[in-house]
Amino acid sequence: REQLNPIDEAEAFAGLVRNGVVIEDVAAKAGVSPATVKRRLALASLCDEAKTAVRAGDSLAVAEALTIGTHDEQRRALQWMESAYHYTADDIRGMMLDDKVSVARAIFPIERYEGTVSHDLFEDDETTYFDDIEQFQRLQTEAVEELAARHRETALWAEVVTDWHFSSWQYDKVEEGDPAGVIIHFKPTGVVEVHEGLLK
């Protein structure tokens, strides 16, 4: 038999799942791993324009990279691809992730976030991203303020640094148990690092 186009296979898997077949059973019927089924289901969720591009010969790797974005983001990427002289799947992945932040960076309870998320199922480590960067930054800022308030209850002092770099040379480390301060380094990328046991 001629092998199914990945999009046709993806839509076949999606149809089975919609009809109540669990992913593990779809995988067993198709002779593939459950991870492969999940990846095909991600392809099934592409916008129609992206599916057409894959059927017309665009690479599967590019299609997989597009799954990270919303439908609007996918359409913008497709427009760019039409005018680009050369591009790779990594270029598309970078474009899709440009305005997203990994859920792993959050120090707030995830249930506070009310926006949508995107999944990258095609990297070695499956990663989930916040789509709404403004909401993430607001929630992360609130969580940093709460963290600083908790440290101020027990530490000599606690400060929040929001620059790209934390000037550690301005501080000494004190012996454990001695009065000390805390620096909470809240980077513009959303990453939060806590440096305890410091003396100015």
Side-chain angles (χ1 to χ4, degrees), residues 120-131:
D120 186 353
L121 304 176
F122 301 95
E123 288 291 296
D124 291 338
D125 295 319
E126 181 181 326
T127 310
T128 303
Y129 297 92
F130 294 115
D131 291 329

Side-chain angles (χ1 to χ4, degrees), residues 169-186:
W169 57 269
Q170 296 180 348
Y171 305 88
D172 286 329
K173 288 288 280 183
V174 300
E175 295 293 327
E176 190 173 341
D178 287 346
V182 176
I183 289 288
I184 300 168
H185 189 191
F186 183 18

Side-chain angles (χ1 to χ4, degrees), residues 5 7 43 45-59 62-63 66-67 70-71 74-75 78 81:
N5 179 282
I7 296 298
L43 291 177
S45 69
L46 285 169
C47 67
D48 291 339
E49 296 89 336
K51 290 178 182 178
T52 299
V54 177
R55 285 191 172 107
D58 244 331
S59 80
V62 166
L66 285 169
T67 64
T70 63
H71 282 187
Q74 291 169 19
R75 291 185 185 102
L78 288 166
M81 287 158 59

Side-chain angles (χ1 to χ4, degrees), residues 117-192:
V117 296
S118 296
H119 305 281
D120 186 353
L121 304 176
F122 301 95
E123 288 291 296
D124 291 338
D125 295 319
E126 181 181 326
T127 310
T128 303
Y129 297 92
F130 294 115
D131 291 329
D132 189 337
I133 189 70
E134 290 182 11
Q135 187 180 166
F136 163 79
Q137 285 289 3
R138 177 176 56 78
L139 292 170
Q140 194 81 328
T141 299
E142 291 171 0
V144 165
E145 290 168 356
E146 292 169 7
L147 181 62
R150 287 197 302 273
H151 277 291
R152 288 184 186 115
E153 292 174 0
T154 55
L156 198 56
W157 48 266
E159 294 178 7
V160 177
V161 174
T162 56
D163 294 330
W164 283 101
H165 301 287
F166 155 56
S167 301
S168 57
W169 57 269
Q170 296 180 348
Y171 305 88
D172 286 329
K173 288 288 280 183
V174 300
E175 295 293 327
E176 190 173 341
D178 287 346
V182 176
I183 289 288
I184 300 168
H185 189 191
F186 183 18
K187 300 181 182 181
T189 56
V191 171
V192 177

